[in-house]
Amino acid sequence: MTLTQAEKAAVVAIWEKVATHANAIGAESLERLFSGFPQTKTYFPHFDLSQGSAQLHGHGSKVLSAIGEATKNIDNITGALATLSELHAYILRVDPVNFKLLSHCILCSLAAHFPNDFTPEVHAALDKFLSQISSVLTEKYR
Amino acid sequence: MVHWTPEEKQMITSLWAKVNVAECGGEALARMMIVYPWTQRFFSTFGNLSNPQAIQHNPKVLEHGKKVLTSFGNAVKDLDHIKETFAHLSELHCEKLHVDPENFKLLGNVLVIVLAAHIRKDFPPACQAAWHKLVAAVAHALALRYH
């Protein structure tokens, strides 16, 4: 499932808009994740997950910033996220199923914030892109 | 509530009578940690989990596997009240142990494979199907109290 040139362009274009709201969208995506899929909270027993918490905002922006890095290196996501890949494989060990859940929540947030830009084509490109990121992050699991 | 046919109940209970709980429990937990290495994240106090041999012979793994499968046996004893049986354990796994319920599915699948390996010809497809229903029901019950 590699991205076509058109899909890469679509991802880069929408992400320029996302980047200006990264903190809010990041926190919102995580809120959506924890509300919709409470079992995901098991990975954050050390966090204050209440709405508007500093940790939620901090972590949300961390996640979106990493995705932003991937958009800047869209032809070499594996290289760009190599450190994060190792972190997830050896330290965090988040079950792979959760990457789909978070990707879904990110798409929901983007759809809510940018309804006009979030066309079906852009939706498809982003879904593929997030799926590629998920693969990179789980690549070293075993 | 899960709907069981009389045949399914019969297959489950008669198979369970043949299961060596200590052996299969230990093996299932060890295999889960070997096949899905990220599941080791919950067992940092268990000592040496550095390779498959170490995991398979780790006394804490074997002991815990036996505990888990013994508990599983409570589902077999009362197939019509699985949710109630695991209500307390569900809360425990959420609030104290912080275990992602996905792991219940992983262990359930490994358990079915271990049963196939041990029971062999007395574990035909129909029996496996009944057991898939059971491990799914237990996984579901264990996730039910998550919040």
Side-chain angles (χ1 to χ4, degrees):
Chain A
M1 278 200 275
T2 39
L3 294 164
T4 64
Q5 289 306 334
E7 285 165 343
K8 287 179 189 175
V11 167
V12 169
I14 193 165
W15 208 263
E16 268 172 29
K17 297 197 174 182
V18 172
T20 57
H21 296 81
N23 285 3
I25 293 177
E28 186 185 315
S29 301
L30 288 178
E31 269 172 46
R32 289 176 184 278
L33 181 70
F34 297 138
S35 303
F37 310 101
Q39 69 273 18
T40 54
K41 293 190 286 184
T42 56
Y43 293 97
F44 299 93
H46 54 299
F47 263 34
D48 166 15
L49 296 178
S50 55
Q51 208 191 27
S53 92
Q55 282 179 310
L56 205 60
H57 272 263
H59 197 68
S61 88
K62 211 179 199 180
V63 170
L64 280 228
S65 165
I67 298 176
E69 269 309 294
T71 65
K72 288 181 198 137
N73 297 278
I74 204 159
D75 289 318
N76 181 19
I77 297 176
T78 305
L81 300 184
T83 312
L84 275 177
S85 180
E86 298 203 342
L87 183 73
H88 283 79
Y90 305 127
I91 315 289
L92 301 177
R93 296 177 285 188
V94 173
D95 192 283
V97 75
N98 294 291
F99 291 94
K100 284 203 173 94
L101 301 179
L102 180 56
S103 297
H104 169 77
C105 291
I106 291 172
L107 291 178
C108 286
S109 294
L110 295 187
H113 280 254
F114 306 106
N116 297 326
D117 299 288
F118 197 72
T119 62
E121 291 85 349
V122 170
H123 176 170
L126 276 168
D127 193 281
K128 252 170 103 168
F129 173 63
L130 292 176
S131 160
Q132 216 173 44
I133 290 179
S134 303
S135 292
V136 168
L137 292 178
T138 54
E139 205 165 38
K140 299 182 178 148
Y141 270 45
R142 61 176 176 178
Chain B
M1 202 184 83
V2 189
H3 173 253
W4 303 103
T5 65
E7 294 76 28
E8 284 170 335
K9 284 191 174 183
Q10 164 61 21
M11 282 192 281
I12 287 170
T13 49
S14 68
L15 191 102
W16 189 249
K18 300 183 183 124
V19 172
N20 178 328
V21 171
E23 211 185 305
C24 288
E27 191 180 326
L29 191 66
R31 279 178 184 268
M32 184 188 77
M33 291 194 214
I34 293 165
V35 175
Y36 309 110
W38 56 93
T39 58
Q40 292 171 30
R41 73 193 300 281
F42 302 106
F43 304 103
S44 53
T45 58
F46 274 30
N48 187 3
L49 300 176
S50 56
N51 63 70
Q53 286 305 311
I55 294 171
Q56 284 174 289
H57 295 105
N58 183 311
K60 286 191 175 180
V61 170
L62 299 177
E63 185 195 317
H64 194 68
K66 175 181 168 185
K67 190 182 187 182
V68 169
L69 199 59
T70 302
S71 173
F72 198 91
N74 294 329
V76 178
K77 282 182 200 144
D78 190 358
L79 291 169
D80 292 323
H81 297 100
I82 294 177
K83 282 182 196 164
E84 293 83 346
T85 302
F86 289 97
H88 168 70
L89 277 174
S90 180
E91 282 171 10
L92 182 78
H93 280 77
C94 171
E95 289 163 15
K96 297 269 164 6
L97 304 176
H98 308 298
V99 176
D100 181 344
E102 187 64 21
N103 292 283
F104 308 142
K105 291 184 191 161
L106 295 178
L107 184 58
N109 285 337
V110 171
L111 176 60
V112 171
I113 290 172
V114 167
L115 292 178
H118 281 250
I119 313 291
R120 303 177 69 189
K121 57 176 168 49
D122 286 337
F123 193 65
C127 188
Q128 179 184 335
W131 272 83
H132 267 298
K133 234 169 119 168
L134 178 58
V135 300
V138 171
H140 177 78
L142 280 171
L144 214 49
R145 297 278 175 119
Y146 273 60
H147 56 88

